[in-house]
Amino acid sequence: MSRTGTKLEAKKVNSELFTLTYGALVAQLLKDYENVEEVNKQLDRMGYNMGIRLIEDFLARTGSGRCYDFRDTSEKIQTGFKIYLGITPTITNWSAAGDEFSLYFEANPLTEFVELPDHCLNLKYCNILTGILRGACEMVQMEVACWFVQDQLKNDTITELRVKFIKRLEDAIPAGED
Amino acid sequence: MKQVVDTKTNSGSTGEADECLFEYLHAEIVNYVLSLSLNTKEGKEDLSRLEWMGFSVGYKIIERLTREWSRFKDELDMIKFICTDFWCSLYHKQIDNLRTNHHGVYVLQDNAFRLLDKVGTSNSKQYLPESPRLLAFTCGLLRGSLANLGIVSTVTAETSTLPSCKFHVQVQRV
């Protein structure tokens, strides 16, 4: 049985599988919780759990050592997006103290097939990303906070994720419940 | 059946979610569904949400995959497509064995199913009771894909030794 011309692209399919699965999850969460804020929180929490696992894969794959400073961290986060989502966000808007920066996303594979209905204006669709960053950084003894400042799904021209360094964690804290 | 899977080309296309990302997400979805299931206080785990999410993903993804595909000859042709190209793209390998009674029952056997692959080494029984959790999503995925191809079915999964599993597809004739 041979077909001519067409062939499925494994990478692309895999990416769509992820995008659609994530979409199904968000849809399910919206169904389960009436409260959009609660959905944002759940997504962040799930991202956190993913992040604390993802960092191991990242370190194993890139062989990168400790970050020298927060600028170094930002570049590694950028690399992470390249590896896992195939996108390279722009690092910009550094705060004067050098403890805050923004990631600009022009394209976001998570939102590839997404349009937000009107009653979901407060939904942070990609909130899983903030959780992933938080969880991953915590595993390398760094407490960060991140949040979305702009979102293309809400008619902003660009999606902006703000990352702020909070503090260096002194002792390795075992992965506890959030 | 021979099939060449090219994972190296096409990486520059619209985007690539790395493989493990899906696996972690899947694990979180399973956790989430189980956390709700605990609240029902019934003896049995309620995996219907997982199955439903799989269904909606399968329904959507098959539409995109078969967009430029020539028309399928018949039901068996569709199932074959699922076993080869579809499975390869999603789970990086083909279905190892396909059986059918030619009356609407198909058994798809995967000897090293991707989502079970890291759970137990060969012939391990330790996590066997938990394995349905990891299969419900894919059952839904199969059902959803077939539904969009025009086949109404029920899909169940069965494991006897990890990481192999069998998916039973029962086509409902109307």
Side-chain angles (χ1 to χ4, degrees):
Chain A
M1 189 182 79
S2 68
R3 293 176 181 275
T4 50
T6 47
K7 184 184 265 186
L8 301 178
E9 301 170 13
K11 276 278 186 190
K12 191 157 165 22
V13 173
N14 208 38
S15 153
E16 289 186 2
L17 176 67
F18 178 73
T19 305
L20 291 171
T21 306
Y22 184 65
L25 171 67
V26 177
Q28 184 65 50
L29 287 171
L30 281 169
K31 215 181 289 176
D32 289 338
Y33 301 95
E34 290 111 52
N35 187 343
V36 173
E37 287 304 321
E38 187 62 28
V39 174
N40 292 338
K41 223 158 68 185
Q42 284 286 343
L43 286 174
D44 180 76
R45 194 187 55 81
M46 287 180 182
Y48 176 83
N49 291 338
M50 285 171 74
I52 59 182
R53 299 178 67 186
L54 200 66
I55 187 70
E56 302 217 6
D57 186 81
F58 177 81
L59 294 176
R61 207 181 279 243
T62 60
S64 55
R66 273 181 189 284
C67 298
Y68 306 111
D69 53 20
F70 204 46
R71 274 180 198 273
D72 191 21
T73 310
S74 71
E75 277 157 28
K76 281 178 178 152
I77 290 174
Q78 193 184 34
T79 314
F81 276 104
K82 176 88 193 91
I83 294 175
Y84 294 105
L85 289 175
I87 48 173
T88 312
T90 317
I91 304 170
T92 183
N93 268 356
W94 277 96
S95 65
D99 64 343
E100 255 185 84
F101 66 91
S102 287
L103 291 165
Y104 275 11
F105 299 86
E106 280 172 25
N108 184 349
L110 279 182
T111 60
E112 208 179 332
F113 313 115
V114 180
E115 262 180 58
L116 280 191
D118 288 340
H119 66 275
C120 295
L121 282 180
N122 289 324
L123 176 70
K124 292 172 184 142
Y125 187 86
C126 300
N127 224 23
I128 199 144
L129 294 179
T130 62
I132 290 178
L133 284 187
R134 200 162 53 82
C137 287
E138 190 174 309
M139 286 299 111
V140 288
Q141 273 112 54
M142 231 185 318
E143 190 179 329
V144 298
C146 32
W147 63 94
F148 282 98
V149 182
Q150 301 185 69
D151 192 341
Q152 278 163 325
L153 287 177
K154 290 162 192 167
N155 292 329
D156 293 319
T157 49
I158 210 151
T159 299
E160 178 182 357
L161 179 62
R162 191 92 181 135
V163 186
K164 182 182 169 60
F165 177 81
I166 306 282
K167 65 168 192 253
R168 179 161 286 280
L169 300 166
E170 285 307 328
D171 280 314
I173 298 169
E177 271 75 46
D178 186 26
Chain B
M1 290 197 288
K2 66 183 173 65
Q3 168 83 20
V4 185
V5 190
D6 49 344
T7 48
K8 291 189 179 62
T9 53
N10 300 322
S11 55
S13 58
T14 53
E16 49 186 90
D18 195 79
E19 303 164 18
C20 62
L21 210 52
F22 170 72
E23 281 162 33
Y24 295 157
L25 180 67
H26 179 263
E28 280 313 306
I29 294 177
V30 171
N31 274 342
Y32 166 70
V33 169
L34 287 177
S35 73
L36 293 184
S37 159
L38 288 178
N39 298 334
T40 59
K41 288 205 171 95
E42 287 164 32
K44 214 161 163 284
E45 288 171 348
D46 175 19
L47 299 175
S48 60
R49 277 190 178 80
L50 268 178
E51 213 265 354
W52 174 245
M53 279 187 257
F55 180 89
S56 65
V57 172
Y59 198 89
K60 286 168 192 151
I61 208 164
I62 199 79
E63 197 163 88
R64 298 188 56 80
L65 292 186
T66 55
R67 197 175 37 183
E68 288 160 24
W69 215 259
S70 50
R71 186 172 277 276
F72 293 105
K73 281 200 302 283
D74 51 18
E75 193 177 283
L76 186 62
D77 201 19
M78 293 177 196
I79 300 275
K80 276 185 184 162
F81 167 75
I82 297 279
C83 292
T84 53
D85 298 85
F86 182 70
W87 211 257
C88 268
S89 324
L90 265 55
Y91 298 113
H92 306 312
K93 67 187 286 296
Q94 292 189 13
I95 285 286
D96 293 298
N97 194 329
L98 169 66
R99 286 162 190 274
T100 176
N101 65 356
H102 296 289
H103 291 284
V105 176
Y106 300 88
V107 180
L108 287 64
Q109 183 177 339
D110 191 334
N111 291 333
F113 183 52
R114 178 175 158 196
L115 296 174
L116 294 176
D117 215 17
K118 285 158 193 137
V119 177
T121 50
S122 55
N123 301 328
S124 150
K125 296 237 184 276
Q126 189 181 358
Y127 296 109
L128 209 51
E130 284 84 5
S131 65
R133 298 172 179 176
L134 297 170
L135 295 170
F137 181 85
T138 304
C139 286
L141 194 81
L142 275 173
R143 194 168 67 86
S145 311
L146 291 170
N148 205 351
L149 290 173
I151 301 177
V152 180
S153 60
T154 47
V155 180
T156 52
E158 161 197 341
T159 40
S160 47
T161 52
L162 297 173
S164 88
C165 65
K166 286 179 186 164
F167 294 95
H168 295 259
V169 178
Q170 173 120 38
V171 177
Q172 285 169 3
R173 311 257 184 231
V174 280

